[in-house]
Each structure stands twice: as C-alpha cells, then as structure tokens.
Amino acid sequence: MTPAALILRPQPGANETADRARARGLEPVIAPLFTVRPLDWDPPSPEDFDAVLVTSANAPRQAGEALAAFTHLPAYAVGDASAAAAREAGFGTVRIGPSDGAAAVRLMEADGIRRAVHFTAPEPAELPRSEIALTQVPVYITLPGDRLPDEAIAAVNAGAVVLLHSPRAAELFGDLIDERRSIARIAAISDAAAAAAGTGWADVVVASEPRDDALVDAAASVAIKQRPTPRPTAPALEAPAVAPLPRTQPRRSWTGPLALALVAFLLGLGAMTWLLTRWEPAARYLGIVAEPQQVAAPQPQTPVQQAQPQAQQRPNRRDTIVIDPAVARRVAELEQRIAEIDTSARSAVGNADRTEGLLIAIAARRALDRGVGLGYLEGLLRQRFGASQPQAVNTIIAASRQPVTLQQLQAELAEIGPLLTGAGPNRGLWTALKQELANLIIIRRADTPSTDPRERLRRATDRLEAGQADVALAEVMRMPGVEHGREWIALAQRYIAARKALDTIEVASLLEPRLPAGEAPAAGTSPPTTPAPGATTPR
C-alpha cells in the first residue's frame, strides 16, 4: 500500500507540495487548515525603498494590482515557491535566499540594501535585527479553521504522515487532533514548528532545511521507515479491507476489559459474602465473628467464691495505652520536618513560576524592541497574565500588531525637527512676529533648561537616544510647531504605553506567582497587588 502524506497548507501551495509528494512515492491528501484572504492596504511610496522582501508566496498572489508599482525594484524571496510567485507578479529581478527569512535579510545586507518593504501577513515571522530599515505592510491574512476536516481525520487514522509547514499550523493541528496525538506521525519544517506542535506524537521528524522539498523528503523517510512488511497469505484467501478507525475508537478500546473486570470483582465479592455468612469457622478465622467464650459451670457449694474472681478479672480486660515519650518526640520531629519540606516545595514552585513569568515578559519586550510580532508569545502572555493583568496584556498585543521601535521614533523626529522648531500651521503673521520678537531676549535662571525650540529639539533627541521616550515626548509637546508632529506624538504615546504595560507584567511576574490549581490563598492573607508602573519597589 502506498504511504500517504497529509498536507495542511492552504492553496495554491498545497498543490505544489502534493506534486513533490507524488514524486517521492507518497499519496497526497490535501486538507487545508487555513484560508488565505487578501487585505485592503494603502501602498507606500515606491521611491522610499530599495528592494522588496517576499517571505511567502501568498504575498504577491494576494497583494493585487497595487503591487505593480513596486515590480521595478529587486525582490528577495525565501524559497523557490516565493520566487516563482514574485516572477508571476511581474518582478524582473528576483534573488532567492538560501534558506529562510534571516538568510534573505543577510543577502540584502550584502547587496547594500538599506530600505526595504516587506509585504506579509498581520503577524509576520520574526526576522533578525538588521541595519536595513524594514517596513512591513500586511496585504493578506490566513484564517484558521475551527475543526479538522474529515479527510484529515481519516488520513491520520490510516497512518498518514502529517506535513507541518509553520509553527502556527503545528500549534493549531496539535490543538485540533486531540486524543489521536498518540497515533499521529508528523514532519515539521523547522525546530520552531516541531516545538509548537508539542509532545506525545507517535513519531516526529524535522526537515534538514526550512524548505518544502526538504519537508517532503523528511516525511517520505518516516513513511518508508514505518511501512509494514506484507505477510505471505494463501492464494485462495484475500485480506479483508481495513476500514478507517472511527473517531472515538481509541477512547472505547478499554471499556470492554474494564467492564468484565468490574463484573468479576462484584461476583467474587458476592460469593465471599455468602460464604462467610454460611461458614462460621471461616468467619471466626478472619475475625469477623468473635470466638465463643468458655463459661465454667457454677459450683453450688461455693457461689460467693466464684463471683469474686470474675469481679477481679474485669479490670484486666481493659488494655491501658501507654505512649513512649521517645516515640512521641520522634513523631513530632517528623511532622516538623514534613512541614519544612512542604514550605520548601511551595517556595520552589513559586520561584519557578516567577522565573517563567519574567522570561515571558523579557521575550515580549525583546520582540517589541525589534519591531516584530509576538507570535506564540501572545498565547503565553494571555495564559500567564491574562487573568491578573488583562489591560496590560491587551496593550502589549495591540502594540505588537503595529510595532513602534525607538529607531523609528528617532528617524521620524529628525525628519520633522525643522517643522517643530518653526511656526505652527495655523499661526498668523502677527503671531509669528510677536514670537520672534519675544525670543530675541530670554531671561531665565542659570540652572533651568532653555525654552528655545532648537534646544528643546536637541534635548528630545538626546533623550530618545537614552531610551527616555516619555521625556522626549514632553519636550516635543512644548514646541511651537507641535501641530506638525501629531503623527509622531501618536507613535510615541503607543511606544510609551507598551513599555509601561511591559513594566507592569514584569513586576507582576515577581510579585504575583500563580497558585497551584484548586488552591486558595491562606486564611487571613490577601493576594499581592501589583504596583502601578513607575512606582518604587523595595529592593
């Protein structure tokens, strides 16, 4: 029987993977998990860029007619499929990166590219830090499905190898496959995709390169390794057709044996009860029925003397419990030691949880500083801080959808600097003349900063270089041409709000460790509160 390969990527890339699978001796089963849709987008000026970065074939296919204005620029594509899609869109010069988006960025750096536009999805893959000013423009979106297609379930039950082309597809497939995870075999395009899929699979293999042909080769190696060896059969007998396992088969496989064991246990219990009620010697042997007491026949000549020994023997029937002081002391020491171990264990769990939360917060800050999307960190943020700090988490996620970097603020401030130090757009001639006359002579204390617009611009630039965007924003708000900087002010406010939200979850990761599931705070205590951003924390 020909081994099968389950392809989950959307069209038209799924058909390309299917052709490669057939060439490698696999029977492709196409069941896309995502649907690709174009987005309405406003094209920037092509004169502002030296090149175009294409990391997915969906970008040139979904961008529409507005992409024609950029086809005179060289295109740097990731993989043959993206390069072919760029050529079909009209790009005359197409260069292919050797492996992934990071390699394509390094190739642009080697060619002297300084400004590039990246047509991508709203949540692009993370790219390395570079000197290239990269502008990301979302032109398409991939919408995930809410359930696995029936053909995908049948293919997994039949032993097909699942091809995972991205971490997002791997994470979604792992969530939808549910209890069939233990029988599914997966081939991931990268280590990140394999990590996003999680654990518990029947077999996992990673492609040697993050390319479609390498992924198909990896899937073929798994399919051939797991192909069953045919058994010789008699000529007159035909092997019965093996129907795909029903969706609930793994869950019902243990019900029959468990029911039989329960019935056998109940029958044995009933038989034992009947036997002990009918066979008194066995009941006495097991201690269920007390031994009959041998009562001596009373002697008539000494009735008073017989009663006296019985009265003397009654106190002896009561056993006096004597506790050894050494044993009691030892028990108390053991209880104290158990309490210390429990305290140490709780402390270790709390420290591990603090470390996990702080690592998530640091990773989110690093992503925002680089101007890239959060990716899988978005789910970790919601899981770790969604309940305690929902507003901060929503602010960080919103900022990652439209990232603002410190370098971007510096570049745009330098561009609008002359407008900020000059006159406002609605200032009349008489107002401008009065302001110029007022600036001829300025009297101020020696230890106070100058109010000259040029000095304010210099201070704002210095503060931005030091990472103090809030101080730079305050200087810009006091400049005469502030109306020219409204867009820059909005960007700076988004940047500052995102960093304050990051400060909030970093403090929360240290002061609000999660309790184990089902455990409530101790009586008489209240959960710790997170200080507002900017508050002083004792060290």
Side-chain angles (χ1 to χ4, degrees):
M1 183 176 65
T2 304
L6 177 57
I7 302 171
L8 304 176
R9 68 185 304 194
Q11 295 289 8
N15 288 334
E16 300 173 359
T17 305
D19 293 339
R20 293 189 176 96
R22 292 189 188 95
R24 293 289 283 113
L26 302 175
E27 180 63 29
V29 179
I30 299 177
L33 286 183
F34 298 91
T35 303
V36 181
R37 294 286 185 269
L39 292 176
D40 295 332
W41 58 287
D42 296 327
S45 175
E47 288 74 17
D48 295 339
F49 306 104
D50 304 326
V52 175
L53 176 61
V54 182
T55 56
S56 172
N58 290 319
R61 289 169 179 165
Q62 303 293 333
E65 298 178 355
L67 189 65
F70 298 86
T71 54
H72 67 283
L73 299 173
Y76 290 79
V78 176
D80 298 332
S82 299
R87 294 189 183 96
E88 292 174 1
F91 284 91
T93 303
V94 179
R95 301 204 61 186
I96 303 176
S99 57
D100 53 8
V105 171
R106 289 192 294 269
L107 183 60
M108 287 193 296
E109 290 178 339
D111 291 347
I113 302 299
R114 290 293 174 263
R115 301 171 303 169
V117 58
H118 181 198
F119 297 113
T120 181
E123 297 180 359
E126 183 176 352
L127 296 175
R129 184 182 298 273
S130 171
E131 296 181 356
I132 300 175
L134 195 62
T135 301
Q136 293 175 335
V137 180
V139 298
Y140 72 94
I141 188 171
T142 55
L143 303 176
D146 56 355
R147 61 180 296 272
L148 278 178
D150 294 337
E151 55 268 26
I153 297 174
V156 171
N157 289 335
V161 181
V162 185
L163 278 66
L164 303 177
H165 281 79
S166 67
R168 187 182 180 193
E171 182 179 3
L172 179 60
F173 178 73
D175 292 339
L176 297 179
I177 195 64
D178 200 14
E179 71 274 5
R180 293 176 182 82
R181 179 184 292 260
S182 60
I183 66 171
R185 296 175 294 154
I186 63 173
I189 198 168
S190 64
D191 292 330
T199 58
W201 304 99
D203 200 353
V204 180
V205 66
V206 180
S208 59
E209 298 180 78
R211 304 167 66 96
D212 186 50
D213 52 355
L215 178 60
V216 174
D217 291 341
S221 66
V222 174
I224 294 173
K225 179 179 66 175
Q226 297 292 338
R227 182 184 300 178
T229 304
R231 298 181 179 179
T233 58
L237 299 179
E238 293 184 359
V242 179
L245 294 176
R247 299 191 63 166
T248 58
Q249 182 68 18
R251 186 173 293 177
R252 289 205 306 253
S253 59
W254 50 266
T255 307
L258 181 59
L260 291 176
L262 182 60
V263 171
F265 174 74
L266 294 177
L267 290 176
L269 184 61
M272 181 63 70
T273 304
W274 180 87
L275 181 61
L276 293 177
T277 56
R278 297 295 188 276
W279 191 14
E280 186 175 349
R284 287 200 304 269
Y285 178 76
L286 295 176
I288 299 175
V289 177
E291 292 285 347
Q293 297 182 356
Q294 300 291 336
V295 180
Q299 298 180 5
Q301 64 274 18
T302 56
V304 179
Q305 294 179 359
Q306 291 291 336
Q308 184 176 0
Q310 291 180 2
Q312 293 176 356
Q313 291 177 0
R314 287 178 183 175
N316 295 333
R317 293 180 181 176
R318 299 180 180 179
D319 297 332
T320 303
I321 301 175
V322 180
I323 300 177
D324 189 352
V327 174
R329 184 174 63 256
R330 183 60 177 169
V331 170
E333 292 176 354
L334 289 175
E335 291 178 349
Q336 182 180 1
R337 181 58 178 165
I338 291 173
E340 293 175 355
I341 293 175
D342 181 69
T343 303
S344 300
R346 291 175 181 271
S347 177
V349 171
N351 291 336
D353 186 74
R354 291 185 180 93
T355 303
E356 176 193 5
L358 189 59
L359 288 176
I360 294 173
I362 292 174
R365 182 182 294 275
R366 183 169 177 266
L368 291 186
D369 289 343
R370 298 175 61 186
V372 299
L374 294 177
Y376 68 92
L377 288 174
E378 182 174 331
L380 294 177
L381 276 173
R382 293 187 186 277
Q383 179 183 0
R384 176 61 179 84
F385 301 102
S388 60
Q389 302 294 334
Q391 184 175 358
V393 170
N394 292 335
T395 301
I396 295 171
I397 293 176
S400 69
R401 305 285 172 81
Q402 296 178 338
V404 180
T405 64
L406 193 63
Q407 293 79 8
Q408 180 181 355
L409 292 177
Q410 291 175 333
E412 295 195 11
L413 180 61
E415 183 177 350
I416 66 173
L419 298 176
L420 294 174
T421 58
N426 299 323
R427 192 175 67 168
L429 179 60
W430 174 245
T431 303
L433 180 60
K434 288 194 298 181
Q435 182 174 353
E436 292 296 332
L437 292 176
N439 290 334
L440 291 177
I441 300 176
I442 299 176
I443 301 175
R444 60 180 177 86
R445 293 171 58 92
D447 56 349
T448 58
S450 173
T451 59
D452 183 70
R454 289 181 293 272
E455 285 297 317
R456 289 190 183 276
L457 179 61
R458 183 188 60 80
R459 290 198 299 268
T461 303
D462 294 341
R463 294 300 185 182
L464 274 183
E465 291 180 356
Q468 299 174 347
D470 51 346
V471 181
L473 176 61
E475 294 287 355
V476 172
M477 294 292 291
R478 295 184 177 92
M479 292 187 183
V482 66
E483 293 296 332
H484 294 289
R486 290 303 176 188
E487 294 183 2
W488 186 92
I489 292 172
L491 293 177
Q493 290 172 341
R494 281 168 43 201
Y495 178 88
I496 295 169
R499 271 60 191 178
K500 288 183 177 179
L502 287 170
D503 294 340
T504 299
I505 66 170
E506 285 179 358
V507 174
S509 66
L510 296 175
L511 299 183
E512 296 182 2
R514 290 180 296 183
L515 292 174
E519 182 175 340
T525 62
S526 59
T529 58
T530 304
T536 302
T537 304
R539 299 182 179 271

